[in-house]
């Protein structure tokens, strides 16, 4: 192996994503809440959402999925 430089990957999730993530499942209730909040924001009603929980439960994955869905709606993330 030869060290060529610092990696451009910012997080463990980004590293996994570069190899392909598994299908997003099992968070329908949480994602529905986040999407409803996004819809309220689109109507001009500001909102703040806190995502918290134990390490490894998928907070980053949930956030990534929300950002992808928001980008599909024309939002910059």
């Amino acid at each position: 192996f030869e060290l060529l430089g610092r990696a451009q990957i910012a997080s463990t999730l980004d590293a996994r994503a570069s190899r392909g993530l598994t299908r997003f499942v099992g968070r329908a209730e949480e994602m529905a809440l986040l999407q409803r909040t996004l819809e309220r924001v689109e109507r001009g009603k500001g909102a703040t959402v806190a995502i918290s929980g134990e390490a490894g439960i998928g907070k980053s994955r949930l956030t990534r999925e929300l950002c992808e869905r928001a980008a599909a709606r024309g939002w910059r993330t």
Side-chain angles (χ1 to χ4, degrees):
F1 295 99
E2 178 182 357
L3 179 62
L4 302 175
R6 190 173 182 170
Q8 298 299 315
I9 297 173
S11 71
T12 305
L13 183 60
D14 290 336
R16 287 188 190 122
S18 70
R19 291 177 270 146
L21 294 171
T22 58
R23 195 167 56 96
F24 185 76
V25 296
R27 299 309 279 285
E29 185 177 330
E30 293 89 342
M31 186 53 62
L33 172 63
L34 291 171
Q35 285 193 242
R36 286 192 305 271
T37 303
L38 182 60
E39 290 165 4
R40 283 196 305 269
V41 170
E42 288 176 329
R43 291 191 307 268
K45 298 179 186 208
T48 301
V49 175
I51 300 173
S52 64
E54 303 276 332
I57 64 166
K59 298 177 300 289
S60 296
R61 181 66 189 272
L62 184 65
T63 303
R64 181 185 188 93
E65 184 71 20
L66 176 65
C67 288
E68 288 177 4
R69 292 180 186 201
R73 295 171 82 145
W75 286 78
R76 287 189 313 156
T77 59

